Amino acid sequence: MQIERRDFLSTLSLAGAATLFSGHSLLASTNPKKEKLGIALVGLGYYSTDLLAPALQMTEKCHLAGIVTGTPSKAEAWKTKYNIPDKNIYNYQNFDKIADNPDIDIVYVVLPPSMHREFVVRAAKAGKHVFCEKPMAPSVADCEAMIAACKASKVKLAIGYRCQHDPNIQAYMKVAKDQKFGKVKMVNSAAGYFDARTDHWKQKKSLGGGVMGDMGVYALQGARLATGEEPISVIAQASTTRPEIYKEVEETMMFMLDFPSGARAACQTSFGINMNYLQVSYEKGWLKLEPQSGYSGNKGSMSDGTIINFPIKSQQAKQMDEDCLAILNNTDLIAPGEEGLRDIRVVEAIYKSVASGKSVRI
Ligand code: NAD
């Protein structure tokens, strides 16, 4: 059954490729249902409930087809609210049976980071394309295993970097690419919020908690995307003002990155401070964005008077539609597993720097 499913998926990709050349949809004539890919959300916590499920009511290339949850009461509530048939509802134990379900094309893993690897690998083995939330996983080894599993099953792996689908973020990436103001000299990048929770996975090491993987990847992405380069060394310092809550992981991380061109970045992330901005100083100008990684309203300006303020209805809907188009047309994803891995390489180096108190080469 699994093999038949893969055959079907490769037919889908072929149909998508044919669409590129013929200019009209082969899929539409062969399988009209598959104009919209079916997504199963794994983990029905805050992000699935408040952002992804509502976004899936706006998407054009995919729809909410199934759920995977460990909580039977959530299954009941979601089944009613989103009209999900019983046959598309799984728990963590029977999840692998999803291989036999043609309604599900994509599994979207929205669990605590320590669980990402297991569910991405199981989804890939079931022959499903995979979307995985950030941070991709707690370690480089995990990320590499996830990428390898998806490659082995010939399925795509997209990381939920919604901002990379936001035209306001793409605007500053283009400034770096075009060298509009010359070379980048200095970046200041911050992302944090005050988290009032006192007993959550974000405060537990074993579940992949700590601010660095959580909000820290936004600060890091700000620096990486604004320079268009990968950092070569980092020095970092972790701290907490609430040691009774942040016993196992850091509440705040400050890190400085060096880039090959000579650009430097000072980055901050925290579960104790509301902050969200990006400032870039170039040879011949500057750019500012605040907020830089909001769900909406990311906006800013440049030294030549250019305003960055593109409207966007739903980042998550745009992200999922664009990732589905990449699956249907067999084209490159905006943020594939390799992009998640790039961040986690830096995150690992940051923790090494905290432990040694020294600068670490990446
Ligand atoms: P959450 O705590 O609200 O939900 C986590 C879900 O995992 C819950 O349904 C919970 O029941 C389930 N779960 C299963 N096993 C668990 C365990 N052992 N401990 C705790 N929960 C367990 O978390 P969330 O905020 O929805 O985050 C989930 C993922 O989504 C994380 O990777 C997070 O970084 C990511 N996220 C991304 C964005 C974004 O903007 N892209 C925003 C928020 C969260």
Side-chain angles (χ1 to χ4, degrees):
M1 193 64 192
Q2 205 164 315
I3 290 162
E4 282 168 27
R5 176 77 196 135
R6 287 203 191 115
D7 285 346
F8 175 66
L9 283 172
S10 57
T11 310
L12 254 185
S13 302
L14 277 178
T19 305
L20 273 182
F21 297 108
S22 67
H24 67 274
S25 174
L26 252 186
L27 284 177
S29 58
T30 53
N31 193 340
K33 264 204 288 185
K34 290 301 168 182
E35 286 236 307
K36 274 194 166 199
L37 299 178
I39 294 191
L41 292 175
V42 187
L44 307 179
Y46 155 72
Y47 196 56
S48 284
T49 305
D50 286 21
L51 280 305
L52 296 177
L56 281 163
Q57 312 311 304
M58 294 179 228
T59 42
E60 290 171 5
K61 299 293 166 195
C62 50
H63 69 113
L64 179 59
I67 48 174
V68 184
T69 174
T71 315
S73 59
K74 284 189 194 169
E76 273 310 304
W78 279 63
K79 174 180 152 175
T80 313
K81 184 165 185 191
Y82 292 112
N83 207 13
I84 298 169
D86 284 324
K87 67 181 173 62
N88 293 358
I89 300 177
Y90 297 87
N91 57 40
Y92 301 135
Q93 287 71 39
N94 67 17
F95 167 67
D96 309 276
K97 289 199 167 62
I98 210 162
D100 302 330
N101 191 334
D103 292 354
I104 313 294
D105 302 289
I106 299 160
V107 167
Y108 196 156
V109 179
V110 201
L111 292 162
S114 64
M115 300 172 77
H116 289 182
R117 174 178 175 167
E118 177 190 339
F119 281 86
V120 167
V121 171
R122 285 170 73 180
K125 285 193 174 149
K128 305 299 175 182
H129 295 287
V130 196
F131 296 169
C132 175
E133 259 317 312
K134 48 57 60 181
M136 184 169 171
S139 73
V140 166
D142 287 339
C143 297
E144 287 173 343
M146 292 153 79
I147 292 169
C150 291
K151 276 217 171 91
S153 291
K154 296 190 168 55
V155 295
K156 288 205 190 272
L157 170 59
I159 307 303
Y161 283 128
R162 55 184 170 74
C163 290
Q164 293 200 24
H165 298 261
D166 183 328
N168 296 291
I169 275 61
Q170 290 168 349
Y172 76 74
M173 292 171 72
K174 190 168 179 338
V175 171
K177 191 161 178 271
D178 297 347
Q179 300 246 313
K180 177 174 166 137
F181 300 120
K183 284 185 172 179
V184 175
K185 304 295 283 182
M186 182 66 80
V187 178
N188 233 292
S189 182
Y193 71 94
F194 185 84
D195 197 329
R197 291 174 291 195
T198 55
D199 184 24
H200 189 255
W201 62 260
K202 293 193 184 189
Q203 292 135 6
K204 297 196 170 72
K205 198 169 170 55
S206 62
L207 288 166
V211 76
M212 188 55 227
D214 196 74
M215 293 305 286
V217 294
Y218 293 111
L220 172 58
Q221 289 252 315
R224 286 185 48 243
L225 304 182
T227 54
E229 296 178 53
E230 296 310 317
I232 49 174
S233 73
V234 64
I235 185 157
Q237 205 174 58
S239 60
T240 178
T241 57
R242 293 179 290 170
E244 69 286 5
I245 301 168
Y246 291 91
K247 296 182 210 110
E248 303 174 8
V249 296
E250 75 288 348
E251 179 189 34
T252 296
M253 185 76 83
M254 298 175 78
F255 54 103
M256 290 194 296
L257 302 165
D258 285 298
F259 291 88
S261 65
R264 304 199 75 200
C267 306
Q268 305 103 62
T269 184
S270 180
F271 282 143
I273 305 163
N274 291 316
M275 55 180 174
N276 202 293
Y277 57 82
L278 176 74
Q279 298 171 348
V280 194
S281 299
Y282 308 86
E283 283 173 313
K284 292 173 278 182
W286 53 259
L287 179 149
K288 292 179 184 173
L289 213 73
E290 186 168 10
Q292 68 154 325
S293 63
Y295 292 144
S296 62
N298 295 317
K299 60 178 190 305
S301 56
M302 303 183 205
S303 50
D304 66 351
T306 305
I307 299 293
I308 305 174
N309 192 8
F310 294 99
I312 174 164
K313 202 166 148 201
S314 161
Q315 271 179 349
Q316 288 82 2
K318 189 164 183 285
Q319 167 206 323
M320 289 187 277
D321 269 342
E322 289 174 354
D323 287 343
C324 285
L325 272 176
I327 289 170
L328 287 164
N329 295 335
N330 198 18
T331 53
D332 289 344
L333 292 157
I334 285 188
E338 288 77 4
E339 173 67 358
L341 169 62
R342 280 180 209 117
D343 275 352
I344 300 307
R345 263 192 222 297
V346 183
V347 172
E348 268 196 359
I350 284 171
Y351 283 123
K352 275 189 197 145
S353 173
V354 169
S356 67
K358 292 182 182 152
S359 172
V360 170
R361 289 200 76 76
I362 302 167

